[in-house]
Amino acid sequence: MQQFIDAAPGVRLWTEQRGAADAAPLLLVMGAQASGLGWPEPLVDALAAQHRVIRYDHRDTGRSTWSFEERPYRIADLADDVIAVLDGLGIDRAHIVGMSLGGMLAQMVLADHPDRLLSATLIGTMALSTTHCTRPDGSTIPADALPGISPEVLELWSRPVEDHGPAAEVERRIEHWRVLAGGHLPFDDDYFRAFEHRVIAHTGHHRVGTAHGSAEHDGMLRTDRLARNEVPTLVVSAPADPVFPPPHPQHLAQCIRGAELVEIPGMGHALPPAVHAPLATAILTHTGAVAVA
C-alpha cells in the first residue's frame, strides 16, 4: 500500500507498507540521496513475513518533494521526517532499521524519541558520539581519529556528474555500487543495472540529487543520550565497508548503551543479493528477541 505523508509545510513523503497490518511495525530508513527503493525487494519481503514494513522516500529522492534548492533544510529535519512518517501512519512505536545516513537519523531518533521505538538496527554508519573507541587490547582511538572514507570512494565522489542520458547514468551508478560494495563478494552488474532501472522508473527521472550532501549537519552529536540508551539496539558490522570501515561498527556499539554487534561476512556499503538472507536473519532475530522480552 502506498501513501503520501505531509511531513512539513510544502513537503510530502512517499511511503509504502508491506506485510500484515496488525504486525509489529518496522520502519526502514535509507542513506543519503537514496529513495526507499534502496531497500531491495527480497529483503523487504523477508522482513514483511514478520512485520508491517514501511519504507519511504527522503526529501529530494524518489517521489517525495524535491525542494532543497528553494527551501534548504538541515539533516536534523530528515530525522524529524522519521517521526512525521510514524505520526502520519498512526504508529505509536516501531522497530527502526537505518543504513548509512539513515543509521545516523535512527541514532537521532533513538536519542531524542526513545519512546517511539521498539528497537533499532544500525547498518553501515558512524557513531554520533565523541566517545573514544576501545581496541581489544584495551588501548583507545579518539572518535575523530577513526579511519576515514577510502580514497577510491572519495575520488569517485569528487568527479563532476554530467548528464549524458539515462543509460549513461545507470552505468555511472553501477560503477558507484561496485566501489561501495567493497570487493569481498562477487559483483553482479546485471542485478544493480535492473535495480537502478527500477529506481529511475519509480522516481520518474534520472537526475542526480545533491541536497543531502549540501544540507547543514550541525547539532547531530548525541554522545550523552546514546550512552544512556535503553532501547534494544543492534549494530551490523560490514567488514568490507569502504565508507565506515571497521572499527566504526565496534565504536558505534560501544557508544550506545546495551548495543549488540553482529557481522555480515563480506558485506560492504551496499545490499547485493548475497547479504539479503543473513541481514534479514540478523534483523528478525533482533526484533524477535525484543518481542519475546
Side-chain angles (χ1 to χ4, degrees):
M1 180 174 69
Q2 300 180 30
Q3 182 176 338
F4 283 91
I5 301 297
D6 293 318
V11 176
R12 303 187 76 206
L13 303 179
W14 174 88
T15 71
E16 180 201 67
Q17 299 180 67
R18 195 175 306 184
D22 59 350
L26 187 151
L27 178 64
L28 300 173
V29 187
M30 239 307 139
Q33 301 305 155
S35 78
L37 266 66
W39 296 102
E41 301 297 324
L43 177 60
V44 175
D45 285 338
L47 297 176
Q50 297 186 30
H51 289 284
R52 173 189 173 189
V53 178
I54 304 104
R55 59 180 178 175
Y56 72 100
D57 291 343
H58 292 297
R59 306 182 191 199
D60 290 273
T61 74
R63 297 180 183 176
S64 292
T65 301
W66 291 56
S67 62
F68 185 81
E69 292 185 1
E70 295 79 25
R71 296 188 300 277
Y73 49 81
R74 304 173 304 147
I75 294 297
D77 294 322
L78 298 180
D80 291 339
D81 288 349
V82 174
I83 300 301
V85 169
L86 295 179
D87 288 344
L89 297 177
I91 297 171
D92 291 330
R93 299 180 72 197
H95 300 280
I96 190 172
V97 179
M99 181 165 183
S100 194
L101 174 64
M104 299 179 201
L105 303 181
Q107 289 178 68
M108 295 172 75
V109 175
L110 192 65
D112 300 344
H113 305 280
D115 57 309
R116 303 301 300 272
L117 298 182
L118 297 168
S119 78
T121 299
L122 310 174
I123 308 166
T125 192
M126 65 178 288
L128 301 184
S129 172
T130 58
T131 302
H132 289 354
C133 176
T134 303
R135 297 185 180 96
D137 64 5
S139 60
T140 61
I141 308 173
D144 58 4
L146 287 166
I149 300 170
S150 77
E152 190 176 12
V153 172
L154 290 175
E155 191 279 327
L156 190 65
W157 287 353
S158 70
R159 300 177 191 173
V161 178
E162 301 176 347
D163 187 351
H164 297 291
E169 174 58 21
V170 168
E171 297 307 310
R172 186 194 69 82
R173 295 184 190 186
I174 291 173
E175 180 184 6
H176 187 209
W177 283 121
R178 185 187 303 279
V179 174
L180 290 181
H184 285 204
L185 298 172
F187 187 82
D188 187 340
D189 289 56
D190 291 338
Y191 170 82
F192 282 98
R193 183 173 291 107
F195 169 82
E196 286 298 345
H197 279 298
R198 287 195 299 274
V199 170
I200 289 172
H202 168 75
T203 305
H205 60 78
H206 65 278
R207 296 196 308 274
V208 178
T210 59
H212 300 166
S214 302
E216 288 290 338
H217 58 271
D218 58 303
M220 291 177 62
L221 285 176
R222 296 292 189 276
T223 302
D224 293 340
R225 294 183 190 179
L226 293 176
R228 298 195 302 268
N229 171 63
E230 295 185 356
V231 176
T233 301
L234 177 69
V235 175
V236 174
S237 175
D241 191 340
V243 180
F244 299 115
H248 274 282
Q250 292 73 20
H251 176 234
L252 179 58
Q254 292 171 8
C255 292
I256 302 175
R257 179 176 177 268
E260 298 183 359
L261 184 71
V262 64
E263 180 177 301
I264 306 296
M267 185 173 173
H269 204 78
L271 298 175
V275 308
H276 295 172
L279 184 56
T281 297
I283 294 170
L284 292 176
T285 298
H286 177 57
T287 60
V290 172
V292 170

